[in-house]
């Protein structure tokens, strides 16, 4: 069945460092891909999405490109801030959302 | 616009008691999803509805769990009887469609503790 695999965390970075969180997927057909973020004590919020191959989703300085040839959707940000500390989930659909296990990001000042 | 509303935000109960979690989706959305989040199992989809009809309940763990959506603006998830292993955060989400690309919007969650 369809699945999503994320790099294990926690990822600990200093402020202004470059961030990459790897995400790969297995799916039949052409799923849409998403990154959600969960701040402590809150629900999940959509961060960005891409609906077809080579699409780039972007929001709040984060970017991810839908790579069909490598079945990947890696999340990147050029300069992280302390306020980016959260859990990041990669997910795919159509139909029900299938989530990766989540990657915790800790950014230290 | 108000987002997805869930109540209660926190629930502490004793094993064997009935628990009812409530969700109000975003107005105009026609799909509603119930998820459970635990450290061990991550995020799991329990059930989802489209136009108030349950479409996929394959994630419901067992007969102790039941979900209803009597109208477009309200859904409940009931656990009877509750067990300590049901302790988790339960999220409700809604979207404009049941498939394709549409974004799911999540509520703040209900943290359930079963003693």
């Amino acid at each position: 069945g369809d699945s999503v695999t994320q790099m294990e965390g926690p990822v600990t970075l200093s402020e202004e460092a470059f961030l990459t969180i790897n995400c790969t997927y297995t799916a039949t057909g052409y799923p849409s891909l998403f990154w959600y973020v969960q701040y402590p004590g809150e629900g999940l919020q959509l961060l960005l999405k891409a609906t077809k191959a080579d699409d780039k989703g972007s929001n709040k300085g984060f970017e991810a490109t839908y790579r069909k040839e490598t079945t990947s959707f890696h999340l990147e940000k050029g300069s992280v801030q302390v306020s980016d500390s959260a859990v990041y989930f990669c997910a795919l659909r159509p139909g029900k959302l299938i989530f990766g296990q989540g990657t915790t990001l800790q950014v230290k000042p | 616009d108000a987002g997805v509303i869930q109540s209660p935000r926190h629930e502490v109960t004793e094993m064997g008691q009935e628990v009812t979690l409530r969700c109000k989706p975003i107005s105009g959305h026609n799909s509603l999803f119930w998820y459970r989040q635990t450290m061990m199992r991550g995020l799991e989809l329990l059930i989802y509805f489209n136009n108030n009809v349950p479409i996929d309940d394959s994630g419901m763990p067992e007969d102790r769990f039941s979900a209803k959506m009597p109208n477009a603006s309200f859904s409940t998830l009931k656990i009877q009887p509750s067990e300590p292993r049901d302790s988790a955060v339960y999220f409700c989400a809604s979207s404009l469609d049941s498939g394709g690309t549409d974004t799911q919007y999540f509520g703040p969650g209900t943290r359930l503790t079963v003693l």
Side-chain angles (χ1 to χ4, degrees):
Chain A
D2 296 353
S3 65
V4 176
T5 302
Q6 291 180 232
M7 64 186 288
E8 290 192 17
V11 174
T12 302
L13 296 173
S14 298
E15 207 164 24
E16 300 184 2
F18 184 86
L19 168 71
T20 300
I21 300 178
N22 290 339
C23 170
T24 57
Y25 68 90
T26 302
T28 55
Y30 302 95
S32 295
L33 301 173
F34 303 79
W35 277 101
Y36 280 82
V37 58
Q38 184 177 28
Y39 298 103
E42 299 184 11
L44 279 72
Q45 303 173 25
L46 178 69
L47 182 59
L48 54 84
K49 69 179 184 181
T51 59
K52 61 184 187 296
D54 300 325
D55 268 3
K56 176 184 284 188
S58 61
N59 185 27
K60 300 181 181 180
F62 290 89
E63 293 183 340
T65 301
Y66 189 146
R67 301 287 188 197
K68 193 170 188 306
E69 63 277 12
T70 54
T71 62
S72 65
F73 193 55
H74 304 322
L75 182 67
E76 295 182 337
K77 186 175 185 183
S79 176
V80 294
Q81 305 300 313
V82 172
S83 57
D84 294 327
S85 298
V87 182
Y88 292 81
F89 293 90
C90 186
L92 66 80
R93 64 181 310 204
K96 55 189 181 183
L97 266 176
I98 296 172
F99 287 93
Q101 69 270 38
T103 301
T104 299
L105 171 65
Q106 299 172 340
V107 180
K108 297 184 175 180
Chain B
D1 283 342
V4 175
I5 298 172
Q6 290 187 247
S7 65
R9 292 294 309 274
H10 301 273
E11 176 81 31
V12 180
T13 190
E14 292 189 347
M15 183 174 61
Q17 296 298 305
E18 177 180 297
V19 175
T20 300
L21 311 181
R22 297 173 176 80
C23 175
K24 177 178 170 56
I26 293 172
S27 178
H29 283 188
N30 63 355
S31 293
L32 183 140
F33 305 79
W34 282 101
Y35 292 88
R36 178 171 68 176
Q37 185 178 36
T38 61
M39 290 294 292
M40 291 297 295
R41 299 173 68 92
L43 268 166
E44 305 173 276
L45 177 69
L46 301 177
I47 185 170
Y48 79 90
F49 296 84
N50 182 246
N51 293 322
N52 312 336
V53 176
I55 302 300
D56 183 351
D57 65 355
S58 59
M60 295 286 265
E62 49 198 273
D63 292 346
R64 297 185 297 106
F65 286 68
S66 62
K68 294 182 180 180
M69 192 164 187
N71 57 61
S73 59
F74 184 66
S75 176
T76 59
L77 178 67
K78 185 178 293 186
I79 308 172
Q80 166 63 20
S82 57
E83 297 182 2
R85 61 193 168 121
D86 302 330
S87 297
V89 181
Y90 291 81
F91 290 104
C92 176
S94 71
S95 70
L96 272 174
D97 69 356
S98 64
T101 65
D102 203 69
T103 299
Q104 291 185 19
Y105 295 86
F106 283 73
T110 296
R111 181 173 296 278
L112 173 65
T113 302
V114 183
L115 303 174

